[in-house]
Amino acid sequence: MTPPPPGRVDPDLADRLTDAVLLSGLPVAFGEEGPGVRIRPARPATDSDRCAGAAALDWLPSPRLSGAAAMAEPGQPAGPAREVVGTAMENALAEFLPAFGLEAARDGSGRELRVGPPALPAA
């Protein structure tokens, strides 16, 4: 079976990810609006990065959660707090997705959490 073209997530993988996220009790975000787990196509980190069909996961907090995180450090911008929450959620996803038969790992640059056999970094 040939992988989907670049910029597309394998449809079967997207369905399995959506089911796993929903069964875990987390919302799925659609588009750029949170809250929830956004499932998007993986982006190549290098020219030799073969990520066609792989998915990348992001946590998009709600505006309310972002505001609450920003209030934890008065006078500080919300950006760092939002990043901490997003990283924590992505780490949690990487821990529980294998229970659903989905392997998750950071790409070679460490920028995105990828899911799917082609998503794992080459040894």
Side-chain angles (χ1 to χ4, degrees):
M1 182 177 200
T2 60
R8 303 282 305 228
V9 176
D10 178 272
D12 292 333
L13 176 61
D15 287 345
R16 290 183 61 205
L17 274 169
T18 300
D19 289 346
V21 169
L22 292 174
L23 286 170
S24 70
L26 294 173
V28 175
F30 293 96
E32 298 298 318
E33 295 296 319
V37 177
R38 176 176 57 177
I39 302 168
R40 62 173 176 78
R43 297 181 186 120
T46 64
D47 291 340
S48 63
D49 189 357
R50 297 178 181 260
C51 61
L57 304 179
D58 301 309
W59 173 257
L60 299 178
S62 68
R64 187 174 179 183
L65 180 60
S66 293
M71 295 304 287
E73 295 287 330
Q76 297 293 319
R82 188 177 306 123
E83 188 174 322
V84 167
V85 171
T87 300
M89 289 302 296
E90 290 171 14
N91 289 340
L93 288 165
E95 291 296 320
F96 78 74
L97 284 174
F100 291 96
L102 297 162
E103 293 301 318
R106 292 276 174 193
D107 70 348
S109 70
R111 291 181 309 164
E112 60 183 21
L113 179 65
R114 291 186 182 176
V115 179
L120 299 177

